[in-house]
Amino acid sequence: MTRDVKQDPTPEPRSRRSDTTRASILTAALERFAADGYERATIRAIAKDARIDPSMVMRYYGNKEQLFEAACTVDLRLPDLLTVPEAEVGRTLVAHFVDFWERSGAPTALLRVGVTNQGGAERMQEIFKQQLLPLAARICPAPTTAPVRAALVASQMLGMALTRYVLRFPVSAAMTRDEIIDWLAPTIQRYLTAETPTAVPPTTR
């Protein structure tokens, strides 16, 4: 009588395991840098958090400096606002930021790093300069004012993220997605589309 031999599940492809390991390392590193700061965070502690051997961290990222740079890189995945009706620019961008922060813990961890570490602050400045500034330049009526407009948008969105996800102000943390959009959208709309600081932007309703 022949016994059925239970086959082992198909092994996970090596490339997929590698991607999973890299993601685990970056998540652990960002959380550790946020909690301990760059100087006190160690490869050994990060490896322990990621539940892997420290040699694996070095294998994938070389040293702590390179790991820090990789961990503190975030794609904001900003929407193409040129395809959005002008009156909806503010609501679209605020909704994107809220959803982006809610879906991923990486931006919150990076924000904590930026608050406590100069290197993290510089990385966050670079991210917004490279990703938000070009968007503002394409949308605003006067491209020469794009740096100011982008900085103001960042101040609003990062301020909300800081009070909601890092400092956990009770009122900020309790606000619904729609409430945040309703309150911030008109301000972001004005920053991006008003001709001058006193100009009234198109209605967002």
Side-chain angles (χ1 to χ4, degrees), residues 32-52:
R32 181 59 60 177
F33 287 133
D36 295 348
Y38 178 81
E39 296 300 332
R40 290 194 300 142
T42 65
I43 294 294
R44 185 174 297 276
I46 292 168
K48 182 179 180 181
D49 293 342
R51 300 181 179 180
I52 60 173

mmCIF file with all atom_site columns, all heavy atoms in Angstrom, residues 32-52:
data_model
loop_
_atom_site.group_PDB
_atom_site.id
_atom_site.type_symbol
_atom_site.label_atom_id
_atom_site.label_alt_id
_atom_site.label_comp_id
_atom_site.label_asym_id
_atom_site.label_entity_id
_atom_site.label_seq_id
_atom_site.pdbx_PDB_ins_code
_atom_site.Cartn_x
_atom_site.Cartn_y
_atom_site.Cartn_z
_atom_site.occupancy
_atom_site.B_iso_or_equiv
_atom_site.pdbx_formal_charge
_atom_site.auth_seq_id
_atom_site.auth_comp_id
_atom_site.auth_asym_id
_atom_site.auth_atom_id
_atom_site.pdbx_PDB_model_num
ATOM 1   N N   . ARG A 1 32 ? 14.445 52.528 15.575 1.00 0.00 ? 32 ARG A N   1
ATOM 2   C CA  . ARG A 1 32 ? 15.545 52.633 16.528 1.00 0.00 ? 32 ARG A CA  1
ATOM 3   C C   . ARG A 1 32 ? 16.192 54.008 16.473 1.00 0.00 ? 32 ARG A C   1
ATOM 4   O O   . ARG A 1 32 ? 16.518 54.602 17.506 1.00 0.00 ? 32 ARG A O   1
ATOM 5   C CB  . ARG A 1 32 ? 16.569 51.539 16.247 1.00 0.00 ? 32 ARG A CB  1
ATOM 6   C CG  . ARG A 1 32 ? 17.773 51.516 17.192 1.00 0.00 ? 32 ARG A CG  1
ATOM 7   C CD  . ARG A 1 32 ? 17.391 51.340 18.629 1.00 0.00 ? 32 ARG A CD  1
ATOM 8   N NE  . ARG A 1 32 ? 16.667 50.092 18.875 1.00 0.00 ? 32 ARG A NE  1
ATOM 9   C CZ  . ARG A 1 32 ? 16.285 49.704 20.088 1.00 0.00 ? 32 ARG A CZ  1
ATOM 10  N NH1 . ARG A 1 32 ? 16.508 50.488 21.139 1.00 0.00 ? 32 ARG A NH1 1
ATOM 11  N NH2 . ARG A 1 32 ? 15.630 48.570 20.244 1.00 0.00 ? 32 ARG A NH2 1
ATOM 12  N N   . PHE A 1 33 ? 16.381 54.548 15.273 1.00 0.00 ? 33 PHE A N   1
ATOM 13  C CA  . PHE A 1 33 ? 16.932 55.889 15.153 1.00 0.00 ? 33 PHE A CA  1
ATOM 14  C C   . PHE A 1 33 ? 15.995 56.915 15.791 1.00 0.00 ? 33 PHE A C   1
ATOM 15  O O   . PHE A 1 33 ? 16.437 57.889 16.397 1.00 0.00 ? 33 PHE A O   1
ATOM 16  C CB  . PHE A 1 33 ? 17.168 56.241 13.679 1.00 0.00 ? 33 PHE A CB  1
ATOM 17  C CG  . PHE A 1 33 ? 18.337 55.547 13.053 1.00 0.00 ? 33 PHE A CG  1
ATOM 18  C CD1 . PHE A 1 33 ? 18.212 54.932 11.813 1.00 0.00 ? 33 PHE A CD1 1
ATOM 19  C CD2 . PHE A 1 33 ? 19.567 55.497 13.696 1.00 0.00 ? 33 PHE A CD2 1
ATOM 20  C CE1 . PHE A 1 33 ? 19.288 54.280 11.223 1.00 0.00 ? 33 PHE A CE1 1
ATOM 21  C CE2 . PHE A 1 33 ? 20.655 54.845 13.126 1.00 0.00 ? 33 PHE A CE2 1
ATOM 22  C CZ  . PHE A 1 33 ? 20.513 54.240 11.880 1.00 0.00 ? 33 PHE A CZ  1
ATOM 23  N N   . ALA A 1 34 ? 14.698 56.692 15.636 1.00 0.00 ? 34 ALA A N   1
ATOM 24  C CA  . ALA A 1 34 ? 13.717 57.602 16.227 1.00 0.00 ? 34 ALA A CA  1
ATOM 25  C C   . ALA A 1 34 ? 13.754 57.543 17.744 1.00 0.00 ? 34 ALA A C   1
ATOM 26  O O   . ALA A 1 34 ? 13.626 58.564 18.424 1.00 0.00 ? 34 ALA A O   1
ATOM 27  C CB  . ALA A 1 34 ? 12.312 57.254 15.725 1.00 0.00 ? 34 ALA A CB  1
ATOM 28  N N   . ALA A 1 35 ? 13.925 56.346 18.290 1.00 0.00 ? 35 ALA A N   1
ATOM 29  C CA  . ALA A 1 35 ? 13.895 56.171 19.743 1.00 0.00 ? 35 ALA A CA  1
ATOM 30  C C   . ALA A 1 35 ? 15.207 56.581 20.402 1.00 0.00 ? 35 ALA A C   1
ATOM 31  O O   . ALA A 1 35 ? 15.215 57.220 21.463 1.00 0.00 ? 35 ALA A O   1
ATOM 32  C CB  . ALA A 1 35 ? 13.579 54.715 20.083 1.00 0.00 ? 35 ALA A CB  1
ATOM 33  N N   . ASP A 1 36 ? 16.343 56.214 19.775 1.00 0.00 ? 36 ASP A N   1
ATOM 34  C CA  . ASP A 1 36 ? 17.648 56.399 20.424 1.00 0.00 ? 36 ASP A CA  1
ATOM 35  C C   . ASP A 1 36 ? 18.483 57.527 19.839 1.00 0.00 ? 36 ASP A C   1
ATOM 36  O O   . ASP A 1 36 ? 19.475 57.939 20.449 1.00 0.00 ? 36 ASP A O   1
ATOM 37  C CB  . ASP A 1 36 ? 18.467 55.102 20.331 1.00 0.00 ? 36 ASP A CB  1
ATOM 38  C CG  . ASP A 1 36 ? 17.831 53.961 21.103 1.00 0.00 ? 36 ASP A CG  1
ATOM 39  O OD1 . ASP A 1 36 ? 16.900 54.223 21.893 1.00 0.00 ? 36 ASP A OD1 1
ATOM 40  O OD2 . ASP A 1 36 ? 18.267 52.814 20.928 1.00 0.00 ? 36 ASP A OD2 1
ATOM 41  N N   . GLY A 1 37 ? 18.108 58.015 18.667 1.00 0.00 ? 37 GLY A N   1
ATOM 42  C CA  . GLY A 1 37 ? 18.974 58.968 17.990 1.00 0.00 ? 37 GLY A CA  1
ATOM 43  C C   . GLY A 1 37 ? 20.059 58.248 17.221 1.00 0.00 ? 37 GLY A C   1
ATOM 44  O O   . GLY A 1 37 ? 20.329 57.061 17.453 1.00 0.00 ? 37 GLY A O   1
ATOM 45  N N   . TYR A 1 38 ? 20.709 58.959 16.319 1.00 0.00 ? 38 TYR A N   1
ATOM 46  C CA  . TYR A 1 38 ? 21.696 58.322 15.454 1.00 0.00 ? 38 TYR A CA  1
ATOM 47  C C   . TYR A 1 38 ? 22.887 57.792 16.251 1.00 0.00 ? 38 TYR A C   1
ATOM 48  O O   . TYR A 1 38 ? 23.346 56.666 16.016 1.00 0.00 ? 38 TYR A O   1
ATOM 49  C CB  . TYR A 1 38 ? 22.183 59.306 14.398 1.00 0.00 ? 38 TYR A CB  1
ATOM 50  C CG  . TYR A 1 38 ? 23.248 58.733 13.490 1.00 0.00 ? 38 TYR A CG  1
ATOM 51  C CD1 . TYR A 1 38 ? 22.903 57.928 12.412 1.00 0.00 ? 38 TYR A CD1 1
ATOM 52  C CD2 . TYR A 1 38 ? 24.604 58.987 13.718 1.00 0.00 ? 38 TYR A CD2 1
ATOM 53  C CE1 . TYR A 1 38 ? 23.869 57.387 11.581 1.00 0.00 ? 38 TYR A CE1 1
ATOM 54  C CE2 . TYR A 1 38 ? 25.574 58.456 12.898 1.00 0.00 ? 38 TYR A CE2 1
ATOM 55  C CZ  . TYR A 1 38 ? 25.205 57.651 11.826 1.00 0.00 ? 38 TYR A CZ  1
ATOM 56  O OH  . TYR A 1 38 ? 26.178 57.116 11.020 1.00 0.00 ? 38 TYR A OH  1
ATOM 57  N N   . GLU A 1 39 ? 23.410 58.590 17.155 1.00 0.00 ? 39 GLU A N   1
ATOM 58  C CA  . GLU A 1 39 ? 24.637 58.225 17.856 1.00 0.00 ? 39 GLU A CA  1
ATOM 59  C C   . GLU A 1 39 ? 24.458 56.988 18.721 1.00 0.00 ? 39 GLU A C   1
ATOM 60  O O   . GLU A 1 39 ? 25.327 56.117 18.776 1.00 0.00 ? 39 GLU A O   1
ATOM 61  C CB  . GLU A 1 39 ? 25.126 59.401 18.711 1.00 0.00 ? 39 GLU A CB  1
ATOM 62  C CG  . GLU A 1 39 ? 25.526 60.634 17.912 1.00 0.00 ? 39 GLU A CG  1
ATOM 63  C CD  . GLU A 1 39 ? 26.666 60.362 16.938 1.00 0.00 ? 39 GLU A CD  1
ATOM 64  O OE1 . GLU A 1 39 ? 27.475 59.452 17.223 1.00 0.00 ? 39 GLU A OE1 1
ATOM 65  O OE2 . GLU A 1 39 ? 26.738 61.050 15.911 1.00 0.00 ? 39 GLU A OE2 1
ATOM 66  N N   . ARG A 1 40 ? 23.341 56.879 19.422 1.00 0.00 ? 40 ARG A N   1
ATOM 67  C CA  . ARG A 1 40 ? 23.160 55.771 20.363 1.00 0.00 ? 40 ARG A CA  1
ATOM 68  C C   . ARG A 1 40 ? 22.600 54.512 19.721 1.00 0.00 ? 40 ARG A C   1
ATOM 69  O O   . ARG A 1 40 ? 22.734 53.419 20.268 1.00 0.00 ? 40 ARG A O   1
ATOM 70  C CB  . ARG A 1 40 ? 22.239 56.215 21.509 1.00 0.00 ? 40 ARG A CB  1
ATOM 71  C CG  . ARG A 1 40 ? 22.884 57.228 22.447 1.00 0.00 ? 40 ARG A CG  1
ATOM 72  C CD  . ARG A 1 40 ? 22.089 57.383 23.727 1.00 0.00 ? 40 ARG A CD  1
ATOM 73  N NE  . ARG A 1 40 ? 20.727 57.845 23.461 1.00 0.00 ? 40 ARG A NE  1
ATOM 74  C CZ  . ARG A 1 40 ? 19.655 57.437 24.102 1.00 0.00 ? 40 ARG A CZ  1
ATOM 75  N NH1 . ARG A 1 40 ? 19.751 56.521 25.038 1.00 0.00 ? 40 ARG A NH1 1
ATOM 76  N NH2 . ARG A 1 40 ? 18.464 57.928 23.804 1.00 0.00 ? 40 ARG A NH2 1
ATOM 77  N N   . ALA A 1 41 ? 21.956 54.641 18.563 1.00 0.00 ? 41 ALA A N   1
ATOM 78  C CA  . ALA A 1 41 ? 21.431 53.463 17.877 1.00 0.00 ? 41 ALA A CA  1
ATOM 79  C C   . ALA A 1 41 ? 22.595 52.596 17.389 1.00 0.00 ? 41 ALA A C   1
ATOM 80  O O   . ALA A 1 41 ? 23.588 53.107 16.868 1.00 0.00 ? 41 ALA A O   1
ATOM 81  C CB  . ALA A 1 41 ? 20.563 53.880 16.696 1.00 0.00 ? 41 ALA A CB  1
ATOM 82  N N   . THR A 1 42 ? 22.487 51.305 17.575 1.00 0.00 ? 42 THR A N   1
ATOM 83  C CA  . THR A 1 42 ? 23.553 50.393 17.172 1.00 0.00 ? 42 THR A CA  1
ATOM 84  C C   . THR A 1 42 ? 23.038 49.364 16.162 1.00 0.00 ? 42 THR A C   1
ATOM 85  O O   . THR A 1 42 ? 21.846 49.053 16.130 1.00 0.00 ? 42 THR A O   1
ATOM 86  C CB  . THR A 1 42 ? 24.127 49.638 18.381 1.00 0.00 ? 42 THR A CB  1
ATOM 87  O OG1 . THR A 1 42 ? 23.113 48.773 18.928 1.00 0.00 ? 42 THR A OG1 1
ATOM 88  C CG2 . THR A 1 42 ? 24.606 50.614 19.455 1.00 0.00 ? 42 THR A CG2 1
ATOM 89  N N   . ILE A 1 43 ? 23.955 48.867 15.355 1.00 0.00 ? 43 ILE A N   1
ATOM 90  C CA  . ILE A 1 43 ? 23.616 47.819 14.401 1.00 0.00 ? 43 ILE A CA  1
ATOM 91  C C   . ILE A 1 43 ? 23.083 46.595 15.136 1.00 0.00 ? 43 ILE A C   1
ATOM 92  O O   . ILE A 1 43 ? 22.125 45.952 14.691 1.00 0.00 ? 43 ILE A O   1
ATOM 93  C CB  . ILE A 1 43 ? 24.838 47.433 13.556 1.00 0.00 ? 43 ILE A CB  1
ATOM 94  C CG1 . ILE A 1 43 ? 25.270 48.604 12.656 1.00 0.00 ? 43 ILE A CG1 1
ATOM 95  C CG2 . ILE A 1 43 ? 24.558 46.193 12.714 1.00 0.00 ? 43 ILE A CG2 1
ATOM 96  C CD1 . ILE A 1 43 ? 24.261 48.966 11.591 1.00 0.00 ? 43 ILE A CD1 1
ATOM 97  N N   . ARG A 1 44 ? 23.698 46.272 16.273 1.00 0.00 ? 44 ARG A N   1
ATOM 98  C CA  . ARG A 1 44 ? 23.264 45.111 17.041 1.00 0.00 ? 44 ARG A CA  1
ATOM 99  C C   . ARG A 1 44 ? 21.823 45.265 17.516 1.00 0.00 ? 44 ARG A C   1
ATOM 100 O O   . ARG A 1 44 ? 21.024 44.325 17.428 1.00 0.00 ? 44 ARG A O   1
ATOM 101 C CB  . ARG A 1 44 ? 24.197 44.898 18.241 1.00 0.00 ? 44 ARG A CB  1
ATOM 102 C CG  . ARG A 1 44 ? 23.889 43.632 19.045 1.00 0.00 ? 44 ARG A CG  1
ATOM 103 C CD  . ARG A 1 44 ? 24.945 43.412 20.117 1.00 0.00 ? 44 ARG A CD  1
ATOM 104 N NE  . ARG A 1 44 ? 26.250 43.184 19.529 1.00 0.00 ? 44 ARG A NE  1
ATOM 105 C CZ  . ARG A 1 44 ? 26.663 42.007 19.095 1.00 0.00 ? 44 ARG A CZ  1
ATOM 106 N NH1 . ARG A 1 44 ? 25.861 40.948 19.180 1.00 0.00 ? 44 ARG A NH1 1
ATOM 107 N NH2 . ARG A 1 44 ? 27.865 41.878 18.571 1.00 0.00 ? 44 ARG A NH2 1
ATOM 108 N N   . ALA A 1 45 ? 21.469 46.457 18.014 1.00 0.00 ? 45 ALA A N   1
ATOM 109 C CA  . ALA A 1 45 ? 20.110 46.692 18.491 1.00 0.00 ? 45 ALA A CA  1
ATOM 110 C C   . ALA A 1 45 ? 19.110 46.636 17.341 1.00 0.00 ? 45 ALA A C   1
ATOM 111 O O   . ALA A 1 45 ? 18.011 46.091 17.475 1.00 0.00 ? 45 ALA A O   1
ATOM 112 C CB  . ALA A 1 45 ? 20.029 48.038 19.204 1.00 0.00 ? 45 ALA A CB  1
ATOM 113 N N   . ILE A 1 46 ? 19.496 47.192 16.209 1.00 0.00 ? 46 ILE A N   1
ATOM 114 C CA  . ILE A 1 46 ? 18.615 47.175 15.036 1.00 0.00 ? 46 ILE A CA  1
ATOM 115 C C   . ILE A 1 46 ? 18.395 45.747 14.562 1.00 0.00 ? 46 ILE A C   1
ATOM 116 O O   . ILE A 1 46 ? 17.272 45.346 14.235 1.00 0.00 ? 46 ILE A O   1
ATOM 117 C CB  . ILE A 1 46 ? 19.209 48.047 13.916 1.00 0.00 ? 46 ILE A CB  1
ATOM 118 C CG1 . ILE A 1 46 ? 19.170 49.527 14.331 1.00 0.00 ? 46 ILE A CG1 1
ATOM 119 C CG2 . ILE A 1 46 ? 18.456 47.843 12.602 1.00 0.00 ? 46 ILE A CG2 1
ATOM 120 C CD1 . ILE A 1 46 ? 19.980 50.443 13.438 1.00 0.00 ? 46 ILE A CD1 1
ATOM 121 N N   . ALA A 1 47 ? 19.465 44.975 14.535 1.00 0.00 ? 47 ALA A N   1
ATOM 122 C CA  . ALA A 1 47 ? 19.349 43.576 14.119 1.00 0.00 ? 47 ALA A CA  1
ATOM 123 C C   . ALA A 1 47 ? 18.452 42.796 15.071 1.00 0.00 ? 47 ALA A C   1
ATOM 124 O O   . ALA A 1 47 ? 17.637 41.965 14.644 1.00 0.00 ? 47 ALA A O   1
ATOM 125 C CB  . ALA A 1 47 ? 20.730 42.932 14.061 1.00 0.00 ? 47 ALA A CB  1
ATOM 126 N N   . LYS A 1 48 ? 18.574 43.064 16.353 1.00 0.00 ? 48 LYS A N   1
ATOM 127 C CA  . LYS A 1 48 ? 17.723 42.393 17.335 1.00 0.00 ? 48 LYS A CA  1
ATOM 128 C C   . LYS A 1 48 ? 16.261 42.735 17.112 1.00 0.00 ? 48 LYS A C   1
ATOM 129 O O   . LYS A 1 48 ? 15.390 41.861 17.166 1.00 0.00 ? 48 LYS A O   1
ATOM 130 C CB  . LYS A 1 48 ? 18.143 42.786 18.750 1.00 0.00 ? 48 LYS A CB  1
ATOM 131 C CG  . LYS A 1 48 ? 17.336 42.099 19.845 1.00 0.00 ? 48 LYS A CG  1
ATOM 132 C CD  . LYS A 1 48 ? 17.821 42.524 21.225 1.00 0.00 ? 48 LYS A CD  1
ATOM 133 C CE  . LYS A 1 48 ? 16.999 41.838 22.319 1.00 0.00 ? 48 LYS A CE  1
ATOM 134 N NZ  . LYS A 1 48 ? 17.448 42.261 23.680 1.00 0.00 ? 48 LYS A NZ  1
ATOM 135 N N   . ASP A 1 49 ? 15.981 44.009 16.845 1.00 0.00 ? 49 ASP A N   1
ATOM 136 C CA  . ASP A 1 49 ? 14.603 44.434 16.571 1.00 0.00 ? 49 ASP A CA  1
ATOM 137 C C   . ASP A 1 49 ? 14.059 43.756 15.317 1.00 0.00 ? 49 ASP A C   1
ATOM 138 O O   . ASP A 1 49 ? 12.870 43.425 15.239 1.00 0.00 ? 49 ASP A O   1
ATOM 139 C CB  . ASP A 1 49 ? 14.531 45.956 16.412 1.00 0.00 ? 49 ASP A CB  1
ATOM 140 C CG  . ASP A 1 49 ? 14.829 46.700 17.703 1.00 0.00 ? 49 ASP A CG  1
ATOM 141 O OD1 . ASP A 1 49 ? 14.756 46.068 18.782 1.00 0.00 ? 49 ASP A OD1 1
ATOM 142 O OD2 . ASP A 1 49 ? 15.146 47.897 17.638 1.00 0.00 ? 49 ASP A OD2 1
ATOM 143 N N   . ALA A 1 50 ? 14.918 43.578 14.317 1.00 0.00 ? 50 ALA A N   1
ATOM 144 C CA  . ALA A 1 50 ? 14.508 42.955 13.058 1.00 0.00 ? 50 ALA A CA  1
ATOM 145 C C   . ALA A 1 50 ? 14.547 41.433 13.131 1.00 0.00 ? 50 ALA A C   1
ATOM 146 O O   . ALA A 1 50 ? 14.174 40.750 12.164 1.00 0.00 ? 50 ALA A O   1
ATOM 147 C CB  . ALA A 1 50 ? 15.405 43.433 11.919 1.00 0.00 ? 50 ALA A CB  1
ATOM 148 N N   . ARG A 1 51 ? 15.038 40.909 14.266 1.00 0.00 ? 51 ARG A N   1
ATOM 149 C CA  . ARG A 1 51 ? 15.134 39.461 14.488 1.00 0.00 ? 51 ARG A CA  1
ATOM 150 C C   . ARG A 1 51 ? 16.021 38.777 13.450 1.00 0.00 ? 51 ARG A C   1
ATOM 151 O O   . ARG A 1 51 ? 15.676 37.723 12.896 1.00 0.00 ? 51 ARG A O   1
ATOM 152 C CB  . ARG A 1 51 ? 13.737 38.823 14.514 1.00 0.00 ? 51 ARG A CB  1
ATOM 153 C CG  . ARG A 1 51 ? 12.849 39.376 15.618 1.00 0.00 ? 51 ARG A CG  1
ATOM 154 C CD  . ARG A 1 51 ? 11.491 38.716 15.628 1.00 0.00 ? 51 ARG A CD  1
ATOM 155 N NE  . ARG A 1 51 ? 10.672 39.245 16.722 1.00 0.00 ? 51 ARG A NE  1
ATOM 156 C CZ  . ARG A 1 51 ? 9.429  38.852 16.972 1.00 0.00 ? 51 ARG A CZ  1
ATOM 157 N NH1 . ARG A 1 51 ? 8.862  37.919 16.217 1.00 0.00 ? 51 ARG A NH1 1
ATOM 158 N NH2 . ARG A 1 51 ? 8.753  39.373 17.973 1.00 0.00 ? 51 ARG A NH2 1
ATOM 159 N N   . ILE A 1 52 ? 17.155 39.399 13.206 1.00 0.00 ? 52 ILE A N   1
ATOM 160 C CA  . ILE A 1 52 ? 18.129 38.802 12.301 1.00 0.00 ? 52 ILE A CA  1
ATOM 161 C C   . ILE A 1 52 ? 19.524 38.972 12.899 1.00 0.00 ? 52 ILE A C   1
ATOM 162 O O   . ILE A 1 52 ? 19.709 39.705 13.878 1.00 0.00 ? 52 ILE A O   1
ATOM 163 C CB  . ILE A 1 52 ? 18.097 39.445 10.898 1.00 0.00 ? 52 ILE A CB  1
ATOM 164 C CG1 . ILE A 1 52 ? 18.420 40.939 10.998 1.00 0.00 ? 52 ILE A CG1 1
ATOM 165 C CG2 . ILE A 1 52 ? 16.770 39.229 10.217 1.00 0.00 ? 52 ILE A CG2 1
ATOM 166 C CD1 . ILE A 1 52 ? 18.566 41.609 9.654  1.00 0.00 ? 52 ILE A CD1 1
#
